[in-house]
């Protein structure tokens, strides 16, 4: 018996697809009478947006001077369109406390898109690239010497890098908790200030102060409360000092203030002003007020037979302990 044969359906012819025309019909998008349906009837329209933005590269369009020597190594000064002046005088943009520097020593000018270093008739000269100069064009990376001991690096940089320079300097000289100068920077500045005062026969004073019963704050309220008290105290002291005063965390709960051109009675008044401000405003931590008082010792360079940084520090420290022994919350400037 022959096998059943299932008839196969006739193939359905597919519609013929003409090759796409290389010239698509033009559709005006500017005619107010056109409708979107008319546009889409031509075929799929691909919208092409604006090209992706070109990545912005850091532009080295900022000039700075970076200090290379001494306690201020790393300090960064911006050079604007008006340039900067360098010298020992109080009105100089870059003030350098060094006996080898003239009051108005040198300046850097910005002209015709370039930077020029000019000596201002200084006694000990201005140097670039190891050569004494009167006027010279500065190039990126040039080392500039002002007098025999002070040096800077001239650098072309961008905003991000300049900000990094400043952050590095701050982190190397500042106490992270209180924002005051750290012990190392204080020691270097004290040596420098005393040496300057001895050379020029001027005065310099020192105030050392210690927070009273600080250990009890940590024991009763915890170390975070202790940190809050330290930061609070520093915040009260800062606004009561001059720009040129050096305020440092000397160690633990002990702080120091170098007072240039202030005699002993003036230093005692500074200490008393700070003591009054701190005792009048308690610190706040976790909603709780914590009273704070301090004891301080004030000394001037002439308080000892030897005019040295070590003797000045020893005199202030001795008077600080006299203040603590006399009942705390006071300033002692004699003894």
């Amino acid at each position: 018996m022959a096998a059943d044969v299932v008839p196969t359906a006739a193939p359905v012819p597919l519609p013929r697809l003409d090759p796409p025309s290389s010239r698509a019909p033009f559709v005006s998008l500017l005619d107010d009478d056109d409708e979107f349906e008319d546009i889409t009837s031509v075929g799929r329209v691909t919208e092409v947006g604006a090209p992706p933005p070109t990545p912005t590269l850091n532009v080295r369009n900022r000039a700075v001077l970076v200090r290379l020597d001494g306690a201020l190594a790393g300090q960064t000064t911006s050079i604007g369109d008006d340039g900067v002046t360098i010298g020992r005088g109080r009105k100089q943009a870059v003030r350098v406390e060094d006996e080898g520097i003239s009051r108005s020593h040198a300046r850097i000018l910005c002209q015709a898109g370039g930077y020029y270093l000019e000596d201002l008739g200084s006694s000990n000269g201005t140097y670039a690239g190891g050569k004494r100069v009167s006027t010279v064009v500065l190039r990126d990376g040039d080392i500039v010497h002002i007098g025999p001991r002070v040096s800077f690096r001239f650098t072309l940089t961008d905003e991000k890098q300049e900000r990094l320079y400043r952050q590095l300097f701050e982190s190397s000289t500042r106490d992270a908790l209180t924002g005051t100068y750290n012990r190392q920077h204080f020691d270097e500045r004290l040596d420098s200030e005393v040496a300057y005062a001895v050379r020029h026969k001027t005065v310099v004073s020192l105030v050392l102060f210690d927070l009273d019963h600080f250990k009890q704050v940590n024991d009763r309220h915890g170390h975070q409360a202790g940190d809050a008290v330290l930061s609070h105290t520093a915040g009260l002291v800062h606004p009561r000092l001059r720009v040129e005063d050096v305020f440092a965390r000397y160690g633990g709960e002990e702080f120091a203030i170098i007072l240039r051109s202030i005699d002993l009675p003036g230093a005692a008044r500074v200490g008393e002003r700070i003591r009054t401000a701190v005792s009048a405003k308690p610190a706040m931590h976790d909603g709780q007020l914590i009273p704070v008082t301090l004891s301080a010792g004030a000394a001037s360079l002439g308080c000892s037979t030897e005019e040295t940084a070590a003797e000045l520090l020893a005199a202030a420290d001795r008077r600080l302990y006299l203040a603590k022994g006399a009942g705390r919350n006071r300033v002692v400037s004699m003894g």
Side-chain angles (χ1 to χ4, degrees), residues 59-77:
V59 180
R60 301 172 67 199
N61 60 354
R62 307 168 78 91
V64 298
L65 277 181
V66 181
R67 185 82 179 260
L68 299 179
D69 65 283
L72 297 178
Q75 186 179 53
T76 301
T77 302

Side-chain angles (χ1 to χ4, degrees), residues 235-256:
L236 292 175
V237 174
H238 269 298
R240 290 166 172 81
L241 298 177
R242 303 171 302 169
V243 174
E244 60 266 36
D245 297 333
V246 179
F247 179 33
R249 186 179 179 187
Y250 191 70
E253 68 273 19
E254 194 170 8
F255 294 85

Side-chain angles (χ1 to χ4, degrees), residues 212-226 285-286 288-291:
D212 298 328
H213 304 297
F214 184 73
K215 185 177 183 300
Q216 295 180 11
V217 174
N218 285 330
D219 291 344
R220 293 177 182 176
H221 305 284
H223 288 279
Q224 289 183 342
H285 178 70
D286 281 348
Q288 186 175 6
L289 292 174
I290 303 175

